[in-house]
Amino acid sequence: MDKERSAGTSFFIARDEYVQCLHDIAPQLHDDGISSLKKYKDSHQLTDLNWAISLLQRAIYLIPGGHHDKATWLSNLGSAFLHRFEHLGKLGDIMEATVAYKQATENTSSPPLTRYDAACQWAILCSKYQSPYSALDAYTVVLEIIPQVVWSGQTVHRQYEELPKIGMTINAAVAMAISVGDLTRAVEWLEEGQGIFWKQILQLHTPLDELYQQHPDIADELSMVFLALNNAGTPSFQNIDLEINHKSIEEEAQNHHKLAARYEELLQYIRELDGFGSFLRPKKFSELAPAARNGSVVIINVHDSSCDALIVCPSTDIIHIPLPMFSSGEAVKMHSDLISFLKTYSGHGHNPHQDAVDHNVSTFSLNEILDRLWVFVVQPILFGLNENTRDSLPHITWCATGVFAFLPLHAAGIYGSDNPMENVNISDLAVSSYTTSLAAMLGSHSTPKQDLTKMPSVLIVSQPGTPGLPPLPGTVKEVEAIQRYTSPDHTHHLNDEFATVGTVLGEMSKHEIIHLTCHAIQDIKNPLSSAFALYDGRLELNTLMRLSLKNAELAVLSASQTATGDGNLPEEAVHLAAGMLAAGYRSVIATMWSIGDSDAPLIVDKLYANLLGCHDNSEGQKAKLTPAYALHEAVKHLREEVSEMNFVRWVPFIHFGV
């Protein structure tokens, strides 16, 4: 009996040792497979490629399920099958490649970045060679993994240069969702992309930061498990105190699997917490739809395969407007043309309208851009929207992706035609605003924070002569224009040496409106370092965004840029406005590029007349307008004063927010 038991025990020991031996040779098989794949790339001999595929398949078969490296190995197998398809042209290899990439995404013990890359390859192959619905399944996985990649703290994915790559992937996913008529999912995915872009650019709180604030213990555990999953299989992993042994590949795989299971458990638990239902995944459309309660929001998606507008309306379903005459290449060219013009414009002292030759150049350059925007984009959208209101112009908020976020959609139109009947522009048909995302129009920003029947308090910050910077004499007239519509009891003016960083910060929380007329210093590489130049230094965005501005309503940024000649002026203007929105202001009025000293007082006079009325009742109290409508009327007045064709003077004024 004892002999039988001994024999049985020996059998199981031998079997376990045999299995362990197979597991241990898996890495060598994988490495040999990669070597054969590299050899094929040099030799182009099919035998080398077939041998690579065979070795990789054996390695994957032998490696335990849940091992940290399995997604990488599966991705390498997918790549090998793709090479064979390119060699032989057999669709069966495409099927094998997609299966390998799909399986790689399912190995949750592998790092999110590895799974994300595999999901992208899976989606691309489905888009090219299989059905749109299979591609949609793949992109669903891509979008599920993206938040984990971005918010994981991986340095490379927190850099500005990486964001366009993720943005293009999201644009491709959205185009695919639109192609199959899944507009709800398209809006959700676009919103996810916009949220990632602006939170990364402005270094806003990530979902993990928000979790730390409310549930620090859970956030700590999630971070530790995530870090362990990311570092598994590397030397740093051995320094993490999670009681993990490294005796065998089998044990490693079991531990990786346990970590992945715990990570999923934590995600599920967090998503059941109040306010965290969308943690690390896109918000549902039902959560986003209220952003359109005060007017339609137009979201534009541009991809190589198609260009489309999705309109979120106050009372109807999502409206899809195809833009077949437009393309991603056209958008890039239009943006490049605008940048080229701005470089020339900046090189002529910021005031080309004071010179007849410069005026003609600016008219031609901007006229062509505005014409193309109207014909290819805005006119089809307005036609599809078909909003007819007799009492007032409809309000449209533009939420554009990619380079569209920096193009003057609010001024699109045909101007200066020999036939006056052909002249038409959006400014005569609708009031335009911009937003960085639908979410930016929700929450505490979506409703007024004060009683609008009362006179708001205004903080004016002016710097006609900032030390070390060129003088801004026009700020004096600008302040005088504001004071015509504000009472002394509701106005605080900080000027020259009184406008210090500390004083301004101390006053901001006391006022609903802040008007900044000074130099602005833009930093495209680190937007949070963008600043307003005050008497004793810079008031940076990163400082502003740490404030708790409970009563913030409107920020008017009448700031002249000192970074002349920079080709990224539109981006910088948007970043500055987006930063003020993130700081707590419901509305922000800014300029897309620097303006002349004589134009700001004209705009400011009409803006505050429409916002506040006359405080002394000398002209009677007319109905007060919201910031978007107030700016629209002010720009309309400026257009009449300087001539409609003088685009450089009236086009730059824009409104952000609600």
Side-chain angles (χ1 to χ4, degrees):
M1 189 64 138
D2 291 337
K3 290 182 179 180
E4 290 179 0
R5 288 179 180 175
S6 178
T9 302
S10 299
F11 169 78
F12 286 111
I13 291 174
R15 185 196 64 178
D16 291 343
E17 290 176 349
Y18 176 71
V19 171
Q20 184 58 52
C21 180
L22 291 177
H23 289 163
D24 289 342
I25 67 171
Q28 185 60 51
L29 289 171
H30 172 264
D31 292 346
D32 290 344
I34 294 299
S35 296
S36 294
L37 184 58
K38 290 179 179 178
K39 185 178 179 182
Y40 163 75
K41 292 177 181 178
D42 294 330
S43 69
H44 299 288
Q45 294 296 315
L46 188 59
T47 54
D48 292 328
L49 182 55
N50 287 336
W51 183 237
I53 290 173
S54 177
L55 290 171
L56 291 172
Q57 286 176 320
R58 293 180 195 176
I60 291 167
Y61 177 78
L62 293 175
I63 194 173
H67 191 273
H68 172 271
D69 293 329
K70 192 159 189 174
T72 299
W73 293 14
L74 283 162
S75 295
N76 290 336
L77 178 61
S79 176
F81 275 120
L82 186 56
H83 280 294
R84 196 163 73 179
F85 167 75
E86 293 168 350
H87 190 111
L88 298 176
K90 294 182 178 179
L91 287 176
D93 285 324
I94 288 294
M95 179 63 72
E96 294 284 3
T98 56
V99 169
Y101 286 126
K102 181 176 183 293
Q103 289 176 344
T105 69
E106 295 167 348
N107 195 71
T108 55
S109 301
S110 297
L113 181 57
T114 304
R115 296 168 54 227
Y116 166 75
D117 290 338
C120 289
Q121 290 297 323
W122 173 25
I124 290 170
L125 292 182
C126 288
S127 300
K128 288 183 177 180
Y129 304 108
Q130 297 181 7
S131 73
Y133 292 98
S134 63
L136 203 62
D137 290 339
Y139 277 122
T140 299
V141 176
V142 171
L143 268 291
E144 288 174 353
I145 301 175
I146 281 178
Q148 298 178 41
V149 173
V150 173
W151 310 131
S152 67
Q154 305 238 355
T155 303
V156 67
H157 284 280
R158 297 188 67 85
Q159 295 176 353
Y160 176 77
E161 291 80 4
E162 290 297 312
L163 293 177
K165 298 177 184 178
I166 293 176
M168 287 187 288
T169 298
I170 292 175
N171 291 145
V174 170
M176 187 59 62
I178 292 173
S179 73
V180 301
D182 196 341
L183 303 184
T184 296
R185 191 178 308 195
V187 170
E188 292 171 352
W189 286 353
L190 268 173
E191 178 68 12
E192 179 69 12
Q194 289 295 90
I196 288 171
F197 180 84
W198 288 109
K199 284 187 176 181
Q200 291 287 79
I201 285 295
L202 296 174
Q203 299 175 29
L204 302 180
H205 284 311
T206 69
L208 190 57
D209 294 329
E210 295 163 4
L211 184 65
Y212 265 112
Q213 290 180 351
Q214 298 185 40
H215 306 280
D217 292 341
I218 300 171
D220 275 333
E221 184 179 0
L222 183 71
S223 296
M224 180 175 288
V225 172
F226 188 88
L227 184 62
L229 277 172
N230 264 348
N231 292 327
T234 66
S236 60
F237 181 55
Q238 300 177 19
N239 297 324
I240 298 173
D241 185 17
L242 288 173
E243 298 182 358
I244 294 178
N245 297 320
H246 296 273
K247 294 181 180 179
S248 68
I249 289 181
E250 177 68 31
E251 288 174 335
E252 282 188 38
Q254 291 175 358
N255 286 317
H256 299 163
H257 181 73
K258 289 177 182 178
L259 284 170
R262 181 56 182 160
Y263 182 74
E264 293 300 324
E265 288 174 4
L266 287 170
L267 283 183
Q268 184 62 35
Y269 177 76
I270 292 167
R271 288 166 180 167
E272 292 174 359
L273 296 173
D274 187 33
F276 289 89
S278 298
F279 183 76
L280 295 187
R281 64 184 178 192
K283 288 182 179 294
K284 295 297 183 183
F285 179 72
S286 58
E287 301 174 78
L288 301 170
R293 58 177 153 238
N294 296 320
S296 299
V297 181
V298 179
I299 313 172
I300 300 177
N301 186 66
V302 183
H303 183 251
D304 292 341
S305 63
S306 66
C307 181
D308 304 90
L310 298 174
I311 306 175
V312 183
C313 300
S315 57
T316 63
D317 295 331
I318 302 168
I319 299 175
H320 170 220
I321 308 294
L323 303 173
M325 297 175 64
F326 207 70
S327 66
S328 58
E330 180 72 20
V332 170
K333 183 180 185 305
M334 201 175 291
H335 181 247
S336 176
D337 290 345
L338 179 60
I339 294 299
S340 296
F341 158 71
L342 289 174
K343 286 182 178 179
T344 303
Y345 164 40
S346 297
H348 284 76
H350 292 300
N351 290 296
H353 53 273
Q354 295 176 359
D355 182 271
V357 175
D358 288 338
H359 167 66
N360 292 334
V361 171
S362 67
T363 296
F364 173 77
S365 301
L366 285 178
N367 195 7
E368 185 178 1
I369 291 171
L370 298 177
D371 184 295
R372 285 186 284 165
L373 279 176
W374 172 260
V375 173
F376 297 151
V377 181
V378 174
Q379 185 182 42
I381 290 172
L382 292 182
F383 182 80
L385 189 57
N386 194 26
E387 286 198 32
N388 295 313
T389 54
R390 295 182 179 180
D391 297 331
S392 63
L393 294 177
H395 185 200
I396 296 175
T397 301
W398 301 95
C399 182
T401 64
V403 295
F404 253 123
F406 315 119
L407 293 174
L409 293 162
H410 66 284
I414 297 175
Y415 303 88
S417 172
D418 293 335
N419 181 0
M421 297 297 293
E422 295 179 358
N423 290 327
V424 60
N425 66 82
I426 186 176
S427 299
D428 292 336
L429 302 172
V431 173
S432 290
S433 295
Y434 293 91
T435 187
T436 54
S437 64
L438 293 173
M441 304 173 69
L442 299 171
S444 60
H445 291 41
S446 62
T447 56
K449 302 174 184 177
Q450 57 142 356
D451 185 350
L452 294 182
T453 62
K454 296 180 180 180
M455 175 67 72
S457 181
V458 182
L459 174 63
I460 306 172
V461 180
S462 63
Q463 281 290 292
T466 309
L469 294 173
L472 297 173
T475 62
V476 176
K477 293 182 179 179
E478 203 170 324
V479 172
E480 291 174 352
I482 299 171
Q483 291 175 334
R484 282 197 286 270
Y485 305 100
T486 60
S487 68
D489 294 340
H490 293 84
T491 310
H492 190 59
H493 180 204
L494 296 174
N495 187 41
D496 285 328
E497 69 271 17
F498 297 103
T500 63
V501 173
T503 305
V504 171
L505 286 172
E507 289 292 329
M508 287 182 66
S509 61
K510 304 175 184 178
H511 306 272
E512 289 83 25
I513 298 174
I514 184 171
H515 186 104
L516 288 149
T517 173
C518 56
H519 282 294
I521 300 166
Q522 309 279 7
D523 190 330
I524 188 66
K525 293 183 179 178
N526 184 13
L528 274 191
S529 294
S530 296
F532 301 101
L534 301 183
Y535 189 78
D536 64 341
R538 298 183 177 188
L539 176 56
E540 295 187 347
L541 268 182
N542 59 9
T543 301
L544 289 171
M545 291 169 60
R546 287 198 295 266
L547 299 177
S548 178
L549 301 175
K550 297 180 180 178
N551 298 316
E553 287 291 328
L554 170 65
V556 181
L557 312 182
S558 184
S560 297
Q561 300 171 48
T562 59
T564 61
D566 193 326
N568 292 310
L569 294 179
E571 286 90 335
E572 294 179 344
V574 172
H575 293 160
L576 200 57
M580 295 301 282
L581 284 176
Y585 290 94
R586 296 179 63 246
S587 284
V588 178
I589 291 173
T591 57
M592 294 190 79
W593 53 80
S594 295
I595 55 176
D597 285 340
S598 61
D599 295 336
L602 285 173
I603 285 288
V604 167
D605 181 78
K606 296 302 178 183
L607 173 67
Y608 283 93
N610 292 317
L611 277 174
L612 306 178
C614 299
H615 66 82
D616 58 3
N617 286 318
S618 60
E619 298 180 13
Q621 285 285 350
K622 65 178 182 179
K624 299 176 183 178
L625 302 179
T626 62
Y629 281 83
L631 179 65
H632 182 88
E633 291 299 317
V635 173
K636 181 179 179 181
H637 173 75
L638 181 62
R639 281 170 58 192
E640 295 170 352
E641 288 288 319
V642 304
S643 108
E644 187 174 66
M645 296 298 292
N646 203 346
F647 305 113
V648 72
R649 298 183 66 176
W650 63 267
V651 169
F653 297 95
I654 52 176
H655 172 260
F656 272 82
V658 296

